[in-house]
Amino acid sequence: MLGHRIEDWDNAYANSANIARSDRWPAAWTEPAQAFRDAMSAQGRARIDIAYGERPRNRFDLFLPQASPKGLVVFIHGGYWMESDKSTWSHLAKGSVSSGFAVAMPSYTQCPDVRIAGIVREIGVAIGTAAAMVDGPLMLTGHSAGGHLASRMVTISTPLAADVAKRIRHVVSISGLHDLRPLMRTGMNEALAIDEAEAQAESPALLRPMDGVRLTCWAGGGERSEFLRQNALLANIWTGLGAVTSTVVEPDRHHYDVLDGLADPAYGLTQTLISE
């Protein structure tokens, strides 16, 4: 019988160090993101830097389809709650926008300037602000730390107003971090400052889902083992708590290129996100 134990927690959650030619990113995202933003702005279909709070990073971009939106998709970026911003990911709105949905992409204050619990509250305000601008169903998605934030929104301690929460049709957590406790063992925790109380209060895997939640946990087959475990973990637990869940492991994708499908309206990831 083989036993499994993690000795190097930093390596377990290190993505760039374990992806071949990882130096291609973030340029592989930022250049198409800028091109998409420029094209949408030229068509009058982009609203950039909409304020949802008083802090400098309390801004979101809103991309609009050609006709009246069928609903709203919110994409929440990752970066271990410490890195990146909305401008890196704009092109990933293309699949949903081309399918007739508006897409909001928020930035948020980052650790160590705020704790993860504070980011959760900010994202709740961002979603509420965007939802007030676009009618119809809401679909939430996020990558890595953003997957944590998206799934956290549909727990019973959600920061969302009840009328906004009721509009959520689907949550797709992409390579999401659903249990914060392992991250307490990494060097990143010097900045994240996660303690046991915050891990218990802010980990979706340790919280109950709201009634009627539909959740898809999606990861690449080439992910680190911990991301694959975290991907399966939330769907497994929430199935036992009454949610409708799916787990997808997409072959030949790693932690970065697993996002590419969001730019294509015909791709399985986009189709899953906006499906009824």
Side-chain angles (χ1 to χ4, degrees), residues 182-259:
L183 298 171
M184 295 167 60
R185 296 174 177 264
T186 70
M188 290 183 291
N189 208 40
E190 292 184 15
L192 299 176
I194 303 166
D195 56 24
E196 189 68 25
E198 184 170 51
Q200 292 286 337
E202 302 299 339
S203 296
L206 304 181
L207 299 171
R208 286 187 171 274
M210 298 185 302
D211 289 342
V213 165
R214 180 172 166 234
L215 169 77
T216 298
C217 293
W218 189 295
E223 300 263 8
R224 305 292 291 148
S225 294
E226 269 296 272
F227 282 92
L228 291 171
R229 186 185 67 81
Q230 292 252 9
N231 190 62
L233 177 69
L234 185 63
N236 189 329
I237 291 174
W238 278 14
T239 299
L241 297 176
V244 177
T245 69
S246 301
T247 304
V248 177
V249 177
E250 184 178 356
D252 302 319
R253 294 285 179 169
H254 54 62
H255 191 73
Y256 296 158
D257 64 7
V258 70
L259 288 169

Side-chain angles (χ1 to χ4, degrees), residues 27-95:
W29 294 319
T30 54
E31 293 171 7
Q34 182 67 60
F36 178 80
R37 210 160 46 248
D38 290 346
M40 293 293 285
S41 295
Q43 297 172 41
R45 295 165 53 200
R47 297 185 62 183
I48 306 299
D49 284 336
I50 300 170
Y52 67 85
E54 296 181 356
R55 292 190 170 191
R57 293 176 61 89
N58 292 166
R59 303 287 185 272
F60 67 87
D61 296 342
L62 182 66
F63 300 104
L64 300 168
Q66 291 183 333
S68 180
K70 298 177 182 178
L72 174 66
V73 171
V74 179
F75 173 86
I76 308 166
H77 73 79
Y80 281 121
W81 307 272
M82 297 183 294
E83 300 174 351
S84 192
D85 63 43
K86 59 185 175 58
S87 65
T88 303
W89 318 92
S90 305
H91 62 297
L92 300 180
K94 184 177 180 180

